[in-house]
Amino acid sequence: EAEVAQSPRYKITEKSQAVAFWCDPISGHATLYWYRQILGQGPELLVQFQDESVVDDSQLPKDRFSAERLKGVDSTLKIQPAELGDSAMYLCASSLEASSVEQYFGPGTRLTVT
Amino acid sequence: AQKVTQAQTEISVVEKEDVTLDCVYETRDTTYYLFWYKQPPSGELVFLIRRNSFDEQNEISGRYSWNFQKSTSSFNFTITASQVVDSAVYFCALMDSNYQLIWGAGTKLIIKP
């Protein structure tokens, strides 16, 4: 069964450093989501892509976070510089299209900022 | 405003007990979807169930059952004869008319042997 791939699974970085996460959605899925999940909370949508275009990035802290999906397939989420408060699980999900009710989640990247 | 409330932060029961996790939602949409996900310590989100707003039939899947009541805006989840492997954080979520997921804060379920 096709799955959403994410790497790395775990990342420890020092504050003020740059960090990047990668996501490869299920083949053929046009919509890709990045979520941030702080410990003890539910996931929060950071950015939504439809193909290579950003549909919603209203919750993305744009002063330090950036996301791209250049060819409309895989995606990279970057944080520069990382802050202690960025420690969280970063989840990627994909769906066939923006109006799909099924989102398929990857295993996540657990980020610790020291 | 769209909102999902899981009032139980943590529940601890002894194995084989039944346990119910509460979920209350708020939405102005007439068409919406409700979900439950399980998140074990490894962190991945495991999909459990999806219901649409027009289907109030209760669902049973093995030891899991779900009670959807539009009159009280609730979508509660019951585990019968709980097992240690059921220990996890459980999330209730609402998909709104924009097809975006609004998540509850989660309930941490601890099953003691």
Side-chain angles (χ1 to χ4, degrees):
Chain A
E1 185 175 308
E3 296 179 341
V4 176
Q6 288 188 248
S7 68
R9 292 293 308 277
Y10 304 91
K11 181 70 178 179
I12 300 173
T13 191
E14 294 182 351
K15 63 180 181 178
S16 80
Q17 295 298 304
V19 63
F21 315 128
W22 177 80
C23 172
D24 191 13
I26 293 172
S27 179
H29 280 196
T31 309
L32 185 147
Y33 309 82
W34 281 103
Y35 291 89
R36 176 174 61 184
Q37 185 183 15
I38 295 170
L39 188 65
Q41 299 181 19
E44 168 197 27
L45 180 68
L46 291 176
V47 61
Q48 177 182 343
F49 287 93
Q50 181 66 25
D51 300 311
E52 67 276 8
S53 300
V54 173
V55 173
D56 184 352
D57 63 356
S58 56
Q59 300 302 312
L60 188 71
K62 298 182 187 63
D63 56 335
R64 298 184 300 107
F65 285 64
S66 64
E68 60 183 19
R69 194 184 183 199
L70 293 176
K71 296 182 180 178
V73 181
D74 58 339
S75 175
T76 302
L77 178 69
K78 296 179 182 177
I79 308 175
Q80 182 174 19
E83 296 180 353
L84 295 177
D86 297 330
S87 294
M89 174 74 88
Y90 290 83
L91 294 159
C92 179
S94 71
S95 63
L96 200 57
E97 52 189 56
S99 60
S100 298
V101 297
E102 291 187 4
Q103 292 185 17
Y104 297 82
F105 285 85
T109 296
R110 196 180 299 269
L111 173 68
T112 301
V113 182
T114 62
Chain B
Q2 323 272 31
K3 186 179 178 182
V4 175
T5 301
Q6 294 181 256
Q8 304 150 311
T9 305
E10 183 175 304
I11 301 175
S12 180
V13 300
V14 177
E15 197 173 21
K16 297 183 184 176
E17 288 185 9
D18 299 347
V19 58
T20 296
L21 282 61
D22 298 332
C23 173
V24 174
Y25 63 92
E26 295 175 31
T27 181
R28 292 198 194 97
D29 295 333
T30 54
T31 301
Y32 52 90
Y33 295 85
L34 295 165
F35 298 77
W36 276 95
Y37 285 86
K38 175 182 180 180
Q39 190 173 46
S42 54
E44 77 274 19
L45 282 168
V46 178
F47 168 80
L48 296 177
I49 190 171
R50 178 184 75 241
R51 301 302 275 177
N52 73 54
S53 52
F54 298 107
D55 184 1
E56 283 193 77
Q57 279 194 341
N58 290 335
E59 176 98 6
I60 298 175
S61 176
R63 296 184 297 106
Y64 295 173
S65 63
W66 291 268
N67 184 295
F68 177 25
Q69 291 196 340
K70 287 179 76 172
S71 60
T72 55
S73 297
S74 65
F75 186 43
N76 296 337
F77 173 33
T78 297
I79 301 175
T80 302
S82 60
Q83 299 176 3
V84 173
V85 293
D86 296 327
S87 296
V89 180
Y90 290 84
F91 289 95
C92 180
L94 166 72
M95 181 171 276
D96 65 12
S97 54
N98 294 321
Y99 297 96
Q100 291 195 345
L101 283 169
I102 296 109
W103 298 80
T107 295
K108 182 176 183 179
L109 179 62
I110 300 169
I111 310 296
K112 299 177 185 175

